[in-house]
Amino acid sequence: MNTSGLSPQEQAKKRAGYKAADYITNGMTVGLGTGSTVAFTMARLKERMTEEGLLIVGIPTSIQTTMRAGALGIPLIGLEQAEKIDITVDGADQIDPEMRLIKGRGAAHVRERIVADASTRLIIVADPSKICSHLTGPIPIEIIPFSFSHVIRRLNEMGGMVTVREGVKKDGPVISDNGNIILDYTPVSIPDPSALETAINMIPGVVSCGIFAEFTSKTTVIIGEESGPRIIGLP
């Protein structure tokens, strides 16, 4: 694996992403997460398709991933066409010691949650900076536009700080692939991620928040450390 020319962080992402591709076997349906670390997994899958004749189909979690898979020649199907998803490979923004996650910096966490829930196994790939002693936020939250003022009011009542995610090189808020608005919520603390996940998701108008606390029993985390990939959870 050639990592020359990459920054140390990108090298770490490549180690994790390439290792995740080793878990994929012939004939699998693979959920393809969104983000720069999963991009390395997809690149390695393309290499294996060329070198080994690996046959897979992917289910993308975003328009970005769809475009990336198309450029690599990875065949895709829709979620409705899949009888099952064998493995989903995805990234995370924070990972605590119990493998609970915060996701959604790429505004794709709603589709990522659906695909993760439909998967037999979830592999999370990350560089070491994503490991933390406890989740802190900010927590991405996708909301329907009509609920904007109501959701912000409810989050303010819960304490902490709420901001509307603004676009880069675009005036106004970030709009998800689903046509919704993305908020970023930093609570005072997160002593119980599962409880906070439920509380946020129960606010009318919230589509889904970026806390992923329900998938730990089927999760493997791969951290791309300098000495090699470190595996946490299921081998």
Side-chain angles (χ1 to χ4, degrees):
M1 178 176 57
N2 184 8
T3 59
S4 61
L6 299 177
S7 69
Q9 185 178 38
E10 290 298 301
Q11 291 177 25
K13 291 179 178 182
K14 185 172 183 178
R15 292 186 195 100
Y18 268 48
K19 180 62 178 179
D22 292 345
Y23 288 77
I24 310 304
T25 59
N26 212 43
M28 279 189 170
T29 298
V30 183
L32 299 172
T34 299
S36 55
T37 311
V38 179
F40 285 115
T41 300
M42 294 171 65
R44 178 57 183 151
L45 288 174
K46 171 60 176 178
E47 291 178 358
R48 292 187 59 199
M49 290 167 60
T50 302
E51 297 166 1
E52 307 169 21
L54 179 70
L55 296 175
I56 60 168
V57 292
I59 297 179
T61 56
S62 66
I63 293 172
Q64 179 196 48
T65 300
T66 299
M67 295 171 62
R68 185 170 283 143
L72 290 170
I74 298 174
L76 300 177
I77 61 173
L79 181 61
E80 72 282 356
Q81 298 171 277
E83 294 184 7
K84 64 174 182 175
I85 303 175
D86 298 287
I87 289 177
T88 285
V89 180
D90 207 348
D93 303 306
Q94 289 187 338
I95 305 166
D96 79 3
E98 296 183 40
M99 295 186 297
R100 297 172 297 194
L101 317 170
I102 288 181
K103 293 173 49 55
R105 301 282 166 82
H109 60 280
V110 169
R111 296 189 186 190
E112 289 171 341
R113 186 188 299 280
I114 294 168
V115 171
D117 189 65
S119 301
T120 301
R121 186 169 187 180
L122 178 62
I123 296 180
I124 298 297
V125 289
D127 65 84
S129 70
K130 304 304 193 298
I131 294 290
C132 60
S133 59
H134 58 279
L135 302 181
T136 60
I139 302 163
I141 305 174
E142 182 167 331
I143 67 169
I144 63 171
F146 177 78
S147 71
F148 180 81
S149 62
H150 175 72
V151 173
I152 289 178
R153 186 180 304 114
R154 288 287 304 275
L155 291 171
N156 282 329
E157 290 170 356
M158 293 168 62
M161 182 176 64
V162 186
T163 58
V164 181
R165 190 180 301 180
E166 296 286 335
V168 177
K169 298 184 180 180
K170 170 195 173 294
D171 288 337
V174 168
I175 303 299
S176 75
D177 288 354
N178 307 309
N180 295 315
I181 293 171
I182 302 295
L183 305 178
D184 288 306
Y185 171 54
T186 304
V188 175
S189 63
I190 309 179
D192 186 339
S194 295
L196 183 57
E197 176 185 1
T198 299
I200 295 172
N201 286 341
M202 288 296 290
I203 299 172
V206 170
V207 181
S208 187
C209 77
I211 300 176
F212 283 49
E214 66 269 46
F215 302 123
T216 57
S217 64
K218 62 180 179 182
T219 296
T220 298
V221 173
I222 303 177
I223 305 298
E225 296 184 339
E226 187 173 354
S227 59
R230 176 164 64 100
I231 311 300
I232 305 171
L234 297 173

